[in-house]
Amino acid sequence: MNIKTIGVLTSGGDAPGMNAAVRAVVRTGIFNGLNVLGIKKGYHGLVHGDITEMSLSSVADIIHRGGTTLQTARSKEFMTEEGQRKALNIMEVFGIEGLIVVGGDGSFKGAVELARKGARVIGVPGTIDNDIPFTDYTIGFDTAVNTVVDAIGRIRDTTSSHNRANIIEVMGRNSGCIALHAGLAGGAESIIIPEVRYDIDEVCKRIMQGRNRGKLHSIIVLAEGVGGAFEMARTIEEKINVETRVTILGHVQRGGSPTAFDRIMASRLGARAVELLMEGQTTKMVGFYNNKVHEVDLEKVLAAKKKFPSEMYALAKILSI
Amino acid sequence: MNIKTIGVLTSGGDAPGMNAAVRAVVRTGIFNGLNVLGIKKGYHGLVHGDITEMSLSSVADIIHRGGTTLQTARSKEFMTEEGQRKALNIMEVFGIEGLIVVGGDGSFKGAVELARKGARVIGVPGTIDNDIPFTDYTIGFDTAVNTVVDAIGRIRDTTSSHNRANIIEVMGRNSGCIALHAGLAGGAESIIIPEVRYDIDEVCKRIMQGRNRGKLHSIIVLAEGVGGAFEMARTIEEKINVETRVTILGHVQRGGSPTAFDRIMASRLGARAVELLMEGQTTKMVGFYNNKVHEVDLEKVLAAKKKFPSEMYALAKILSI
Amino acid sequence: MNIKTIGVLTSGGDAPGMNAAVRAVVRTGIFNGLNVLGIKKGYHGLVHGDITEMSLSSVADIIHRGGTTLQTARSKEFMTEEGQRKALNIMEVFGIEGLIVVGGDGSFKGAVELARKGARVIGVPGTIDNDIPFTDYTIGFDTAVNTVVDAIGRIRDTTSSHNRANIIEVMGRNSGCIALHAGLAGGAESIIIPEVRYDIDEVCKRIMQGRNRGKLHSIIVLAEGVGGAFEMARTIEEKINVETRVTILGHVQRGGSPTAFDRIMASRLGARAVELLMEGQTTKMVGFYNNKVHEVDLEKVLAAKKKFPSEMYALAKILSI
Amino acid sequence: MNIKTIGVLTSGGDAPGMNAAVRAVVRTGIFNGLNVLGIKKGYHGLVHGDITEMSLSSVADIIHRGGTTLQTARSKEFMTEEGQRKALNIMEVFGIEGLIVVGGDGSFKGAVELARKGARVIGVPGTIDNDIPFTDYTIGFDTAVNTVVDAIGRIRDTTSSHNRANIIEVMGRNSGCIALHAGLAGGAESIIIPEVRYDIDEVCKRIMQGRNRGKLHSIIVLAEGVGGAFEMARTIEEKINVETRVTILGHVQRGGSPTAFDRIMASRLGARAVELLMEGQTTKMVGFYNNKVHEVDLEKVLAAKKKFPSEMYALAKILSI
């Protein structure tokens, strides 16, 4: 297909590696003779025409930066029929023949709405939560997991004969994916996630068993989708009289220079998104599946639910004895 | 003086760099022909004779480790007259002619009690809180500040047009020292510490001013000595309708591999503590003052209060406009 | 199959994540009622019976440690027929019914030799070089790449109007895999690897083009398989009069706390290796392929050659314009 | 004094923390009602008028960045009488009544030349080498030392029964300060610096002694002022037949996000430099001495030589037994 101008935006919660994806879109586009427009603040900028032409230099020295230089925002206006019309008008005015949306499932829903009204859109999965199906990883997830693992390591350092327990509440919205991966990699004694019912007595038993075996620490990774870190700490103290401290990592998990894995995957997905638009495709997500870049219908992505890796959860239990 | 056997213990909250101090005590002692005994779990181990002979290898490969391999504990027993008697007996039994205590003010109080009953003791300031007078820095403080600064940097990365505010609650007990240093180094918009009365309206005004100047983030560093991060977040949201997130770093600040500064200072203080015992001195603290290792009476340390660096607080206000 | 005792060793160049693999072998083994023996210093320890029984605690607090607590060594003796006989005798004496070898292709050759003589062996790919076929990643590779990317980032920071160029020589033996991934993730201007012929004039041209476009840095990642960093620096200085500095990262790349990715993959591969032995299998490698744990004949692994990801090399060229 | 406009430049080799110093100059200046001009590329920009007005936003989000956003360069022209005249003319044209120079001794010489011709100048010590007298630390030194210590830690991780030795060549020009501090903090077995004659036989003996005591690693930190890492490796291999690897960290040491210590010191020195100009002072260096900000005559700084901390060198020998 003969396409001349494309646009790129980042939307939803920001994630480390979004800049690497945008850089890949811009440079691959320019390499192929396209005009690439950068849309600021996600759909908000699309509705209001907050758009600038990107050059090779616009994306210089951003591959290693956390956050997104294009910024992101939530747009209530874009959720309305009228807002979407405005967005389409803006795309016409700026000559945007294809739009690349880097974001999570909420952002993809918006993209599908635009596609239904005639726009060409490609989604790139960018969210630390790793809750998008048909892609093994989302951009930012690997960085977020490493941030949590670093925090677990620091907490493990600080030991005491009091046999203190520590609860670390981590992000992930309704998904326990960050908690599960970070807990497994960090050697946490318990991992509490929305996908698996938990029993506070088992958590307590694990603490006591560890103590009896001479363990100096007991780390509980708790997904925000379960929540209630402070109440849990109180319950543990009441039940087994073990002093229990709470860490809420919060938005610390959203930042940081992206890992090599996130940068490489983001670069590959961003570049492929441009190629798809050049091939005349639309309403696809570019994912990283079976260690390969592939594409899949966006609507299929929205209809599906990511499979929970129950074998990893089982493994974590065995290894953290 | 002709001393033959010394003991070393770490006490109170653990701090990164305590291992470097112990390593310096052990190796300086052995270099000078002394026997060095390692007392486990602080005063608890002293009361109960949990003591092992240290060799050059006992402290191999620990200079870079967080926490303390000698462990630390609180001992209710040692706070009693009887507990202290027991400790003195143990010192006699093991032939400990001089005791080096690495810890904070609580640990120093215990050391002074032992000294009053005839023991030779030297204190080495080890606590992340930096709340000990007559030493510009305490072991672990520099590491803790860098940990908080790293967290602030990650939060700064994650931007949004919503003009979100972030509160980071940091450690320090009654001292705002970690908050002040980390806030200054991290470029935080507001620093709230026990030493200075704060006005929530000024905090809110700073957020609004930053927003009006185009700032994408607003970071509030809050010392645990003030506390109330979640309530503060709610108040800010009510007053100026700015979404406000909370991070509680907790014990993450106690861990991590010590910085070069902490390792070097700890090594120098630990080595000097041994020399002081060899010189026949007692009831001193080895501090790092005016960039030099010096000694000062332990009782004087306990009687004084660390001066608050008000000029740094004023500077932080100017620089974070 | 009814197996009772297994052994595990790490062999060849050490790699971050080997400890996580050993931990998984030990804990999965014990969980399944097996005795697990740890063999020290690779095949050297097997030949000489340097073997200890592993308990849950033997592998406590090692998941985050670089290097390998079982140590590794090269054994000339094991390369001989006689050495292998000795090893088999030792296996019989200690009752080792299955052996798990964590290492690279050299280590796998040894394992196959043992298998040919009747031993049951399973290989786990552990090497920073990522040069083993039938596994997308090897244990330690992700960590090494991130170490190099961090170094590239630091070099990028230091700018100058002199338009200085920097060459970073990185490890990988005959493979350019570390160089390619780190160069792509670090945004290096040129990546020079054994798999692709390079033209020094093109390297120079890229430096000049970058300079003309206002770039402040020019980073060349050079695989050790090509080598000659200092000569290359001199050539660049002669050809285009651009001051060129050299960094040789060396063994820095072998160390560091393993990334979450390496820890998780190592844990999964180690656990699966135990299962394979319990299933009665032998002479297999457990790999991570298409984002799944799988097994493949060890002889097939040794006969094949890893495919070079030429599309990633092409992408790196486009993105580093 | 009634001063209205000041300028700031960074000069010589860049150092982490220079941005924090510039930020402090700009914001303190503006807070006090001054115009602050940023001069690009050091004296080169001063000679050629490459100057822009700084606002609060010009220095937003730079406190954590390595390098210097004002850039730095060497200017042959400025070394001439004519070049300095030009610089003075430019200062007059732009109304620069006071100039703050962040750099090392070479940069200070230039500043003194300008002062002799009538300009008001204040120097701020910014160099990773820590070779400036009358200041205990220079901006960037703490960061560079931590970078080297991290590299030493990674090398220590990678163990082998071959008893391999590792040489790490570090920066510092004629000063061994980085090598000494990093070697002490990293627990290096030998530290070789220009200030102290070394004996290769003693280096070898230490390696052998360590080996005999069961040490698994032997790390030699070598200052670039001594140099010759590869030759030294060859000599060690010949003399004691221990495989010896070389790491040349190079410009990696110049980069990286500045540590809290460097950011805070840089902020304090930069702010004080502005105050000095407002007080009508000139030809001073602002240093950090005895843990306090102080000022000293620039000419005195240039005439003196930094004292070598021989007691720290002696300590390093004792502790690395």
Side-chain angles (χ1 to χ4, degrees):
Chain A
M1 212 191 86
N2 220 340
I3 203 170
K4 272 184 204 145
T5 301
I6 63 173
V8 59
L9 61 80
T10 54
S11 168
D14 64 323
M18 281 185 161
N19 282 327
V22 170
R23 173 180 176 267
V25 166
V26 170
R27 295 203 165 161
T28 306
I30 292 174
F31 179 82
N32 286 291
L34 303 180
N35 299 322
V36 186
L37 302 180
I39 298 146
K40 292 281 189 115
K41 299 183 189 175
Y43 291 119
H44 179 88
L46 192 63
V47 172
H48 293 94
D50 191 354
I51 292 172
T52 43
E53 182 131 7
M54 305 295 276
S55 68
L56 292 178
S57 306
S58 324
V59 291
D61 273 339
I62 67 166
I63 193 172
H64 59 295
R65 298 247 162 96
T68 159
T69 53
L70 286 181
Q71 297 178 245
T72 171
R74 283 184 224 145
S75 169
K76 280 189 188 163
E77 208 178 346
F78 181 74
M79 291 177 196
T80 65
E81 188 72 19
E82 206 201 312
Q84 289 159 17
R85 281 282 153 221
K86 279 193 191 171
L88 285 165
N89 287 341
I90 290 287
M91 284 181 71
E92 216 172 282
V93 167
F94 279 83
I96 299 175
E97 294 158 284
L99 178 69
I100 294 170
V101 172
V102 186
D105 53 4
S107 312
F108 289 173
K109 269 175 211 149
V112 165
E113 285 305 323
L114 288 178
R116 282 183 188 147
K117 295 185 170 64
R120 290 184 176 279
V121 296
I122 301 291
V124 175
T127 161
I128 61 167
D129 300 333
N130 202 24
D131 57 355
I132 310 283
F134 298 105
T135 191
D136 290 323
Y137 303 100
T138 55
I139 297 169
F141 173 69
D142 187 58
T143 306
V145 169
N146 275 289
T147 300
V148 177
V149 167
D150 178 74
I152 294 174
R154 286 172 188 272
I155 287 176
R156 188 200 281 115
D157 280 342
T158 162
T159 62
S160 131
S161 69
H162 290 282
N163 207 52
R164 205 175 265 156
N166 272 281
I167 300 172
I168 311 180
E169 189 178 300
V170 304
M171 292 179 87
R173 293 192 305 168
N174 297 320
S175 163
C177 212
I178 292 178
L180 176 53
H181 280 75
L184 177 52
E189 273 68 25
S190 290
I191 300 172
I192 302 175
I193 52 181
E195 291 88 346
V196 183
R197 206 189 215 116
Y198 82 99
D199 175 359
I200 189 68
D201 287 334
E202 208 202 302
V203 173
C204 290
K205 206 173 73 181
R206 280 200 157 235
I207 296 172
M208 297 308 286
Q209 284 175 334
R211 183 162 117 168
N212 295 341
R213 266 196 38 240
K215 273 202 180 188
L216 295 164
H217 50 72
S218 196
I219 294 170
I220 299 155
V221 176
L222 171 70
E224 68 174 352
V226 177
F230 291 100
E231 299 87 287
M232 185 178 292
R234 239 168 294 138
T235 309
I236 292 171
E237 294 191 339
E238 280 166 22
K239 288 206 171 220
I240 54 172
N241 196 28
V242 170
E243 197 187 335
T244 305
R245 297 295 178 94
V246 171
T247 289
I248 311 275
L249 281 178
H251 279 192
V252 168
Q253 299 161 84
R254 280 263 175 87
S257 184
T259 59
F261 187 93
D262 272 333
R263 297 185 197 185
I264 292 172
M265 187 177 71
S267 297
R268 295 176 73 180
L269 299 189
R272 180 69 187 134
V274 174
E275 288 173 9
L276 286 179
L277 286 177
M278 290 174 66
E279 291 169 8
Q281 300 210 43
T282 182
T283 332
K284 304 280 181 198
M285 181 186 80
V286 193
F288 195 66
Y289 206 52
N290 290 346
N291 204 43
K292 278 168 209 66
V293 178
H294 82 144
E295 57 258 16
V296 55
D297 280 344
L298 254 185
E299 310 222 16
K300 211 169 137 188
V301 171
L302 290 177
K305 211 181 147 355
K306 191 156 198 162
K307 212 183 139 275
F308 175 70
S310 48
E311 81 290 353
M312 278 182 62
Y313 182 80
L315 180 62
K317 281 214 155 170
I318 292 171
L319 297 190
S320 65
I321 311 178
Chain B
M1 211 188 88
N2 221 342
I3 202 169
K4 274 186 202 143
T5 301
I6 62 172
V8 58
L9 61 80
T10 54
S11 168
D14 63 324
M18 280 185 163
N19 282 327
V22 170
R23 173 179 176 267
V25 167
V26 171
R27 295 205 165 161
T28 305
I30 292 175
F31 179 81
N32 287 292
L34 303 180
N35 299 322
V36 186
L37 303 181
I39 299 147
K40 292 280 189 119
K41 300 184 189 173
Y43 291 117
H44 179 88
L46 192 62
V47 172
H48 293 93
D50 192 353
I51 293 172
T52 42
E53 184 130 6
M54 306 294 277
S55 66
L56 292 178
S57 305
S58 322
V59 291
D61 273 341
I62 68 166
I63 192 172
H64 59 295
R65 299 245 163 98
T68 159
T69 53
L70 285 182
Q71 295 178 244
T72 172
R74 282 187 224 144
S75 169
K76 280 188 189 164
E77 206 176 349
F78 181 74
M79 290 177 198
T80 65
E81 189 71 19
E82 203 201 314
Q84 290 159 17
R85 283 279 152 222
K86 279 192 192 172
L88 284 165
N89 287 342
I90 291 286
M91 285 180 70
E92 217 173 280
V93 167
F94 280 83
I96 300 176
E97 295 158 284
L99 178 67
I100 295 170
V101 172
V102 187
D105 52 3
S107 312
F108 289 173
K109 268 176 213 149
V112 165
E113 287 304 324
L114 288 178
R116 283 185 188 146
K117 295 185 171 61
R120 291 184 176 281
V121 296
I122 301 291
V124 174
T127 160
I128 62 168
D129 300 333
N130 202 24
D131 56 355
I132 310 283
F134 297 104
T135 192
D136 290 324
Y137 304 100
T138 54
I139 297 169
F141 173 68
D142 187 59
T143 305
V145 169
N146 276 289
T147 301
V148 177
V149 167
D150 178 75
I152 294 175
R154 287 173 187 272
I155 286 176
R156 187 200 282 114
D157 279 343
T158 162
T159 63
S160 131
S161 69
H162 290 282
N163 206 54
R164 207 175 265 157
N166 271 282
I167 299 173
I168 311 181
E169 190 178 299
V170 304
M171 292 179 88
R173 294 192 306 165
N174 297 321
S175 163
C177 213
I178 292 178
L180 176 54
H181 280 75
L184 178 52
E189 273 68 25
S190 291
I191 300 171
I192 301 176
I193 52 181
E195 292 87 346
V196 184
R197 204 186 217 117
Y198 82 100
D199 176 0
I200 188 70
D201 287 334
E202 208 203 301
V203 173
C204 290
K205 206 174 73 181
R206 280 200 156 235
I207 297 173
M208 298 307 287
Q209 284 174 335
R211 183 162 117 169
N212 295 340
R213 268 195 37 239
K215 274 202 180 187
L216 294 165
H217 51 72
S218 197
I219 293 170
I220 299 154
V221 177
L222 171 71
E224 67 174 353
V226 177
F230 291 101
E231 301 85 288
M232 185 178 293
R234 240 168 293 136
T235 309
I236 292 171
E237 295 191 339
E238 279 165 22
K239 287 208 172 219
I240 54 172
N241 197 26
V242 170
E243 198 185 335
T244 305
R245 297 295 177 94
V246 171
T247 289
I248 310 276
L249 281 178
H251 279 192
V252 169
Q253 298 160 85
R254 281 263 175 87
S257 184
T259 59
F261 188 93
D262 273 332
R263 297 186 197 184
I264 291 172
M265 188 177 70
S267 297
R268 295 177 72 181
L269 299 189
R272 181 68 186 136
V274 174
E275 288 172 9
L276 286 179
L277 287 177
M278 290 174 66
E279 290 169 9
Q281 301 210 45
T282 182
T283 332
K284 304 280 179 196
M285 180 187 81
V286 194
F288 196 65
Y289 205 51
N290 291 346
N291 204 43
K292 279 168 207 67
V293 177
H294 82 144
E295 56 259 16
V296 55
D297 280 344
L298 254 185
E299 310 222 16
K300 211 169 137 189
V301 171
L302 290 179
K305 211 181 147 357
K306 192 156 199 163
K307 213 185 136 273
F308 175 69
S310 48
E311 80 290 352
M312 279 183 62
Y313 183 78
L315 180 63
K317 280 214 156 168
I318 291 173
L319 298 190
S320 65
I321 312 179
Chain C
M1 212 190 87
N2 220 341
I3 203 170
K4 273 186 202 142
T5 300
I6 62 173
V8 59
L9 60 82
T10 54
S11 168
D14 63 323
M18 280 185 162
N19 282 329
V22 171
R23 172 179 177 268
V25 167
V26 171
R27 295 202 166 163
T28 305
I30 291 174
F31 179 82
N32 286 291
L34 303 180
N35 298 323
V36 186
L37 302 180
I39 299 147
K40 290 280 187 118
K41 300 184 187 175
Y43 292 117
H44 179 88
L46 193 62
V47 172
H48 294 94
D50 191 353
I51 293 172
T52 42
E53 184 131 5
M54 306 295 277
S55 67
L56 291 177
S57 305
S58 323
V59 292
D61 272 341
I62 67 166
I63 193 172
H64 59 296
R65 298 246 162 98
T68 159
T69 53
L70 285 182
Q71 297 180 243
T72 170
R74 283 185 225 145
S75 169
K76 280 189 189 162
E77 206 176 349
F78 181 74
M79 291 178 198
T80 64
E81 188 72 19
E82 204 201 313
Q84 289 159 17
R85 282 280 153 223
K86 279 193 192 172
L88 285 166
N89 287 342
I90 290 288
M91 285 180 71
E92 217 173 279
V93 167
F94 280 83
I96 300 175
E97 296 158 284
L99 178 68
I100 294 171
V101 173
V102 186
D105 51 5
S107 312
F108 288 173
K109 270 176 211 147
V112 166
E113 287 304 322
L114 288 179
R116 282 183 189 147
K117 294 183 173 63
R120 290 184 176 281
V121 296
I122 301 290
V124 175
T127 160
I128 62 168
D129 300 333
N130 202 23
D131 57 354
I132 309 282
F134 297 104
T135 191
D136 290 324
Y137 304 100
T138 54
I139 297 168
F141 172 69
D142 188 57
T143 306
V145 169
N146 276 289
T147 301
V148 177
V149 166
D150 177 75
I152 294 175
R154 286 172 188 272
I155 286 177
R156 186 201 282 116
D157 280 342
T158 162
T159 63
S160 130
S161 69
H162 290 282
N163 206 54
R164 206 175 265 157
N166 272 282
I167 300 173
I168 311 181
E169 190 178 299
V170 304
M171 291 179 88
R173 293 194 304 167
N174 297 319
S175 163
C177 211
I178 292 179
L180 175 54
H181 281 74
L184 177 52
E189 274 68 26
S190 291
I191 300 171
I192 302 176
I193 51 180
E195 291 89 346
V196 183
R197 207 189 214 113
Y198 82 100
D199 175 359
I200 188 69
D201 286 334
E202 208 202 302
V203 174
C204 290
K205 207 173 74 181
R206 280 201 157 235
I207 297 173
M208 297 307 286
Q209 283 174 335
R211 183 161 116 168
N212 296 340
R213 267 194 39 238
K215 274 202 180 186
L216 294 164
H217 49 73
S218 195
I219 293 170
I220 299 154
V221 177
L222 172 70
E224 66 174 355
V226 177
F230 291 100
E231 300 87 288
M232 185 178 291
R234 239 169 293 139
T235 309
I236 291 171
E237 294 191 340
E238 280 166 20
K239 288 208 172 220
I240 54 171
N241 197 27
V242 169
E243 198 186 334
T244 305
R245 297 296 178 94
V246 171
T247 289
I248 309 275
L249 281 178
H251 279 192
V252 169
Q253 298 160 83
R254 280 263 176 87
S257 184
T259 59
F261 188 93
D262 272 332
R263 297 187 198 185
I264 293 171
M265 188 177 71
S267 298
R268 296 176 71 181
L269 299 189
R272 181 68 187 134
V274 174
E275 289 172 8
L276 286 180
L277 286 177
M278 291 173 68
E279 290 169 10
Q281 301 211 43
T282 182
T283 333
K284 304 279 180 199
M285 181 186 81
V286 193
F288 196 65
Y289 205 52
N290 291 344
N291 204 43
K292 277 168 208 68
V293 177
H294 83 144
E295 56 259 16
V296 55
D297 281 343
L298 254 186
E299 310 222 15
K300 210 170 137 189
V301 171
L302 290 177
K305 210 181 147 357
K306 191 156 198 163
K307 211 183 138 276
F308 174 69
S310 48
E311 79 291 353
M312 279 183 62
Y313 183 77
L315 180 62
K317 281 214 155 169
I318 291 172
L319 297 190
S320 65
I321 311 179
Chain D
M1 212 189 89
N2 220 341
I3 203 169
K4 272 185 204 145
T5 301
I6 62 172
V8 58
L9 61 81
T10 54
S11 168
D14 63 322
M18 280 185 162
N19 283 328
V22 170
R23 173 178 176 268
V25 167
V26 170
R27 295 203 167 162
T28 305
I30 291 174
F31 179 81
N32 286 290
L34 303 180
N35 298 323
V36 186
L37 303 180
I39 299 146
K40 291 280 189 115
K41 299 183 188 173
Y43 291 117
H44 180 87
L46 192 63
V47 172
H48 294 94
D50 191 353
I51 293 172
T52 43
E53 184 129 7
M54 305 295 277
S55 68
L56 292 177
S57 305
S58 322
V59 290
D61 272 341
I62 67 166
I63 192 172
H64 59 296
R65 298 246 163 96
T68 159
T69 53
L70 285 182
Q71 295 179 245
T72 172
R74 283 185 224 146
S75 169
K76 280 189 189 163
E77 207 176 348
F78 181 73
M79 291 179 197
T80 65
E81 188 71 18
E82 205 200 314
Q84 290 159 16
R85 283 281 152 220
K86 279 192 192 171
L88 285 165
N89 287 342
I90 290 287
M91 285 180 71
E92 217 173 279
V93 166
F94 279 84
I96 299 175
E97 294 158 283
L99 178 67
I100 294 170
V101 172
V102 186
D105 53 3
S107 313
F108 288 173
K109 270 176 211 149
V112 166
E113 287 303 323
L114 287 178
R116 283 183 187 147
K117 294 184 173 63
R120 292 184 176 279
V121 296
I122 301 290
V124 175
T127 160
I128 62 167
D129 300 333
N130 202 24
D131 56 355
I132 309 282
F134 298 103
T135 192
D136 290 324
Y137 303 100
T138 54
I139 298 168
F141 172 69
D142 187 58
T143 306
V145 169
N146 276 289
T147 301
V148 176
V149 167
D150 177 75
I152 294 175
R154 287 173 187 272
I155 286 177
R156 186 201 282 116
D157 279 342
T158 161
T159 63
S160 130
S161 68
H162 290 283
N163 205 52
R164 205 176 266 158
N166 272 282
I167 299 173
I168 312 181
E169 190 179 299
V170 305
M171 291 180 89
R173 293 192 307 166
N174 297 320
S175 163
C177 213
I178 292 178
L180 176 54
H181 281 74
L184 177 52
E189 274 67 24
S190 292
I191 301 173
I192 302 176
I193 51 180
E195 291 88 346
V196 183
R197 208 191 212 111
Y198 81 99
D199 176 358
I200 189 69
D201 286 334
E202 208 202 301
V203 173
C204 289
K205 206 173 74 182
R206 280 201 156 235
I207 297 173
M208 297 307 287
Q209 284 175 335
R211 183 162 117 170
N212 295 340
R213 269 197 35 241
K215 273 202 180 186
L216 295 164
H217 50 73
S218 195
I219 293 170
I220 298 154
V221 176
L222 171 71
E224 67 175 353
V226 177
F230 291 100
E231 299 88 287
M232 184 178 292
R234 240 168 294 137
T235 308
I236 292 171
E237 295 191 339
E238 280 166 21
K239 288 208 171 220
I240 53 172
N241 196 26
V242 169
E243 198 186 335
T244 305
R245 298 296 178 92
V246 171
T247 289
I248 309 276
L249 281 178
H251 279 192
V252 168
Q253 299 160 85
R254 280 262 176 87
S257 185
T259 58
F261 188 92
D262 273 332
R263 297 185 197 186
I264 291 171
M265 188 178 69
S267 298
R268 295 176 73 181
L269 299 188
R272 181 67 187 136
V274 174
E275 288 173 8
L276 286 179
L277 286 177
M278 291 174 66
E279 291 169 9
Q281 301 211 45
T282 182
T283 334
K284 305 279 181 198
M285 181 186 82
V286 194
F288 196 65
Y289 206 52
N290 291 346
N291 204 43
K292 277 167 209 68
V293 177
H294 82 144
E295 56 260 16
V296 54
D297 281 344
L298 253 186
E299 309 221 16
K300 212 170 136 190
V301 171
L302 290 178
K305 211 181 147 355
K306 192 157 199 162
K307 213 184 137 273
F308 174 69
S310 47
E311 80 290 354
M312 279 182 62
Y313 182 79
L315 180 62
K317 280 214 156 170
I318 292 172
L319 298 190
S320 66
I321 311 178

